[in-house]
Amino acid sequence: MDNFSTLGVTLAAAICILLGAIPVPAMAADSEIVAIEEVVVTARRREEASQRVPIPVTVLSASELEQRNVADVTDLSRLTPNLDIQRSGSSQNAAQVFLRGVGQTNWAPPQDPKVGIYLDGLYLGRPQGAVFDLVDVERVEVLRGPQGTLFGRNTTAGLVHIVTKKPVPVFESRFSGGVGNDGQYSVSGVLNVPFTDTLAARVAAQGRWADGYVENLATGKDWNDTDRQSVRGHVSWTPAENVEGLLTVGRDRIRERPSLGECTWLGPTTGAEAIQSGGLPFIAHVFGVLDEIRSVCDATDRFRSSDNDPDDSKVDVWSATATFTWEIGGVVLTSITGWREVQELNQSWGWATDTVGSAGYLEVLAFEDSKQEQWSQELRLSGDAMDQRLNWVLGGYWFDEDASMPQVVPIFRGVEPPSPAESPIFFAPAPPEFGVATFGELALATQMLGSAETGFAADNTSWAAFFEFTYELTEALSLTAGIRYTEDEREFVRTQTLLGGVPNPTLVCPGGEAPGPRGRCEQSRSFDEVTPRVIASYQLTPEVMFYGGWSKGYSSGGFNSDIRMRAYEPEISKNWEVGAKSAWLDRRLIANVTAFHNTYENQQITVSRLVGGQPQADLINAQEATLYGVEGELTFKPTASWLLTASVGWMDGEYEEFLVQDTLLGPDFSEVIVTRDLSDTEVIRNSPYTVSISAAYTAHLGRGHELNTRVGWYQRGRIYNTLETLRSSRQEGYGLLDGRITWYLPNRNTQISLWGTNLLDKAYFPTAIDLSGPGDTGTVTRYWAEPRRFGLEVSHQFGD
């Protein structure tokens, strides 16, 4: 059975099970209010009912997020078709986001995400610190497909916009606390104070803690824990009916241990195989530690692993956004000024290749904080004309960031030269072309030269001008057209020394230039692009709309962060889309569907390749690719007590052209270029299908008591954790069950909830680092997801 058939059977079976299990009575009486509430979004930079917006947008309300136990941004994957947000395997506080099969796994300063994340209008330029808790959220909007006109920062696949609750003109306060298994506990609070008729403030704070679920055999501590606190504050000022100002500030503090994975050895198992494979396994054999490294790796599992690195993983994020609107003669001026600063320290990638003692095979450590500071300014004019038949928006955008990231990559840290009995090859003469007398000298040189302290720094600047309008040709037919011009300037500085700041005598900058102080090399480039959008929509009835359109997305080019600092070209997406949005049965049933066909030029993909004979993850361009699929969302409220939801996403694709060049080392250390054709690999890195269904029932127990029960199921197909789809990092399809039961007390201010996620305790790994390379000569580290979690939560709202 093909993927499409499997998807259809899964969705049909799920809906039949739900509907068959529900004792649906006769349709509710007209006196009962059971219509699904209208949701207002800002997907086109103005407030509109979501069912009137002719683009595919998933809207998740505050109640939906709470009832489905959405704690942070990664949980949004369970509720949105074709969306995959995960913690990076090498840094659990860096977001790895894919939408419709397109995204980015790299997070070095000269590289950008492909799916934009916005928080109250502020674009998050770095994935570091982008795994944050959702505190006092009003709604989440997920716009699928290129958004290259009104949202221009690298949105070739779509964007996620988190909108928090703003101050209201009445007093509000709420407090909640919770406990759960695995040492979980949480506290949160919200305070809203109207000082005057024109001035109000709102503050929300939350803290979450949990024990780690992976035991580090090297230290006895549990890694993969939770320790994070967040504060959001808003001050609103409305000095006049046509003027409004809003200042938003935020602070996130995370103090956790790093991610720790399970290691699987795919490299050589004998000395002869190591000699034939070359590279690091060969050097391990020369040192006499090949068997030890392999045994340490194979001794790990889902809940036990080994890492002797420092256990600090911390993030500090500060942000501020000032939004100002002024209506003048029917034209609205909007200004959004944003600032964000991130400091991150991630002292281990948790590769599980360290011995319980002091020796390590291959590690990536941080010797100081990574830092990023960004500023952005957006100005928009918007209005309507011709008796409101024409809506338009005109604006400009400027973004600038300075980012730096230090790294040290020790190779065979703590490995001492062996005795002749332990490793005779260590003392054996090496061939003359190696330039050393013995293989042992080669191993020691590799240990010294490979253990480099490296720093990456980037200055990225972008500016854009955009215009879009919507014109009602008739009462039913509307046309939307827009265009944006974007220009990016990127400067990249890389420094590299040996440990302790000793100059690396083998370092050469790109172009053959000699490096500057501390091994400084520089690269810079500029990119620009025009991205238009055209959409036609037809309102067949007040509740049924059809739409179709074409849009273009753009993501700036950049540089690889390795020693060669290779540049890659901008990624361009061109997307055709048709869809329908509809409401039926007096808005008791809402059904939306979208089909898309997206072609990519120079898609930016991270691929395992050989550079100088060593496996390396490089960001390169896949020359031509096509992605296509279908997405559907359904909400059904048969009575005032029942609510059913379902969403489905299916996608497939192919490469028309995808060539990768490996560089091998010949006997005389000269480079030999070998071209691989990856056009026949599967183009979808993340799941080819996703299904999410839920059923909620509210029971009125009498005397004012109320019980709400909601159960959800999330199913997804197989996932590859390498973009060239190596089977060594493939996660088979899996399903997750979540649930929540909430008891509302008669005072309507107090509620008690029992909740659970991954209730079936499914074992799965959402991310992995595959170092096996094209010839399966290394390791694969799998970072397993949290096991079953459940808990009790009590919340009380003070006042009326």
Side-chain angles (χ1 to χ4, degrees), residues 190-320:
V190 176
L191 178 64
N192 187 98
V193 179
F195 297 108
T196 68
D197 292 340
T198 61
L199 184 66
R202 186 181 187 93
V203 178
Q206 176 176 283
R208 289 198 302 129
W209 298 264
D211 295 338
Y213 56 90
V214 179
E215 179 187 1
N216 188 344
L217 300 174
T219 65
K221 298 179 180 179
D222 291 334
W223 286 26
N224 298 60
D225 61 330
T226 301
D227 183 351
R228 48 186 58 216
Q229 299 83 47
S230 302
V231 178
R232 297 276 184 273
H234 308 276
V235 177
S236 66
W237 181 50
T238 54
E241 291 184 357
N242 63 334
V243 178
E244 182 177 357
L246 178 68
L247 175 64
T248 300
V249 295
R251 173 77 165 95
D252 294 290
R253 178 185 184 274
I254 301 173
R255 296 293 185 273
E256 298 171 340
R257 297 190 179 100
S259 298
L260 185 55
E262 175 195 17
C263 179
T264 299
W265 181 264
L266 297 175
T269 59
T270 67
E273 292 174 350
I275 293 173
Q276 184 176 7
S277 69
L280 295 178
F282 169 63
I283 301 300
H285 171 59
V286 172
F287 270 120
V289 296
L290 179 65
D291 290 341
E292 179 183 1
I293 292 169
R294 179 168 56 86
S295 63
V296 168
C297 176
D298 289 339
T300 63
D301 60 32
R302 178 188 176 193
F303 295 123
R304 284 168 294 276
S305 193
S306 179
D307 195 307
N308 56 35
D309 300 332
D311 61 3
D312 285 335
S313 178
K314 63 181 183 179
V315 176
D316 290 289
V317 181
W318 300 264
S319 63

Side-chain angles (χ1 to χ4, degrees), residues 442-756:
L442 176 64
L444 293 174
T446 302
Q447 186 183 50
M448 178 185 69
L449 295 177
S451 301
E453 290 184 0
T454 307
F456 313 114
D459 183 356
N460 303 319
T461 303
S462 177
W463 70 270
F466 57 89
F467 174 69
E468 184 170 279
F469 70 88
T470 299
Y471 180 64
E472 295 181 3
L473 299 170
T474 69
E475 291 185 359
L477 180 63
S478 295
L479 175 68
T480 298
I483 192 168
R484 186 186 191 103
Y485 173 76
T486 305
E487 186 171 301
D488 290 282
E489 296 180 0
R490 308 188 73 95
E491 298 178 2
F492 177 37
V493 174
R494 187 182 191 276
T495 59
Q496 179 175 309
T497 66
L498 302 184
L499 291 179
V502 178
N504 183 349
T506 66
L507 180 64
V508 178
C509 292
E513 297 182 4
R518 295 192 59 81
R520 179 186 176 98
C521 300
E522 300 182 34
Q523 291 275 60
S524 63
R525 282 191 65 180
S526 297
F527 308 92
D528 63 273
E529 192 62 48
V530 175
T531 51
R533 175 166 76 172
V534 178
I535 305 172
S537 62
Y538 185 76
Q539 200 73 41
L540 181 66
T541 72
E543 300 292 355
V544 178
M545 179 184 69
F546 295 95
Y547 63 89
W550 178 88
S551 60
K552 183 178 180 180
Y554 156 79
S555 181
S556 169
F559 302 95
N560 277 278
S561 56
D562 70 329
I563 196 169
R564 306 187 182 203
M565 303 174 70
R566 288 178 296 267
Y568 54 85
E569 296 302 314
E571 176 178 287
I572 304 297
S573 60
K574 299 176 182 179
N575 184 60
W576 288 97
E577 205 149 45
V578 294
K581 295 188 175 184
S582 63
W584 310 88
L585 304 175
D586 297 326
R587 290 192 60 83
R588 295 185 177 101
L589 173 65
I590 291 179
N592 300 332
V593 64
T594 303
F596 63 91
H597 183 278
N598 205 336
T599 58
Y600 278 83
E601 299 175 8
N602 292 322
Q603 185 181 3
Q604 296 167 6
I605 293 183
T606 302
V607 172
S608 293
R609 62 190 297 208
L610 295 175
V611 178
Q614 300 294 341
Q616 183 167 297
D618 258 5
L619 188 61
I620 65 175
N621 294 113
Q623 291 83 4
E624 294 183 27
T626 300
L627 291 168
Y628 46 87
V630 179
E631 297 157 342
E633 295 178 292
L634 181 145
T635 304
F636 182 39
K637 197 171 185 180
T639 73
S641 299
W642 281 99
L643 177 66
L644 309 177
T645 67
S647 70
V648 60
W650 171 85
M651 55 187 173
D652 201 351
E654 58 187 6
Y655 291 113
E656 282 77 24
E657 183 180 358
F658 189 7
L659 301 178
V660 177
Q661 289 186 336
D662 296 322
T663 58
L664 311 181
L665 290 182
D668 59 351
F669 287 92
S670 62
E671 289 191 349
V672 179
I673 298 177
V674 177
T675 300
R676 282 185 291 145
D677 188 349
L678 299 183
S679 299
D680 59 349
T681 60
E682 296 188 48
V683 73
I684 301 296
R685 174 256 180 205
N686 61 329
S687 175
Y689 72 86
T690 59
V691 177
S692 179
I693 57 177
S694 75
Y697 180 74
T698 301
H700 301 280
L701 306 178
R703 297 185 179 181
H705 294 273
E706 187 175 288
L707 195 68
N708 178 270
T709 302
R710 186 155 187 170
V711 178
W713 176 263
Y714 171 62
Q715 179 75 36
R716 68 181 308 164
R718 63 101 187 104
I719 306 167
Y720 286 106
N721 286 279
T722 52
L723 292 183
E724 68 271 54
T725 59
L726 298 177
R727 294 193 63 84
S728 50
S729 62
R730 171 174 167 143
Q731 165 64 58
E732 301 298 336
Y734 60 88
L736 301 176
L737 179 68
D738 64 85
R740 190 180 187 95
I741 302 174
T742 302
W743 172 28
Y744 297 91
L745 274 62
N747 62 17
R748 306 305 298 171
N749 290 331
T750 306
Q751 60 188 59
I752 303 172
S753 300
L754 288 171
W755 62 269

Side-chain angles (χ1 to χ4, degrees), residues 39 41 57-62 65 70 73 76 80 83 85 118 134 137-143 159-164:
V39 179
V41 299
V57 52
T58 296
V59 187
L60 305 171
S61 65
L65 297 172
V70 174
V73 295
L76 298 175
T80 308
L83 175 66
I85 305 179
Y118 291 77
L134 301 183
V137 170
E138 177 183 306
R139 70 182 185 277
V140 175
E141 302 175 11
V142 181
L143 281 61
L159 65 90
V160 179
H161 190 189
I162 294 95
V163 181
T164 62

Side-chain angles (χ1 to χ4, degrees), residues 78-161:
R78 293 188 283 113
L79 281 67
T80 308
N82 288 335
L83 175 66
D84 182 23
I85 305 179
Q86 304 293 346
R87 303 172 187 269
S88 171
S90 52
S91 175
Q92 65 172 337
N93 295 308
Q96 184 173 293
V97 189
F98 281 74
L99 185 55
R100 290 183 172 178
V102 174
Q104 185 54 264
T105 59
N106 290 44
W107 34 272
Q111 299 156 355
D112 291 329
K114 299 295 157 279
V115 180
I117 297 181
Y118 291 77
L119 177 60
D120 289 325
L122 175 66
Y123 171 75
L124 310 187
R126 292 289 101 208
Q128 291 92 327
V131 179
F132 55 89
D133 287 359
L134 301 183
V135 181
D136 199 31
V137 170
E138 177 183 306
R139 70 182 185 277
V140 175
E141 302 175 11
V142 181
L143 281 61
R144 303 188 297 275
Q147 307 296 320
T149 304
L150 297 180
F151 300 86
R153 284 295 300 156
N154 300 303
T155 51
T156 52
L159 65 90
V160 179
H161 190 189

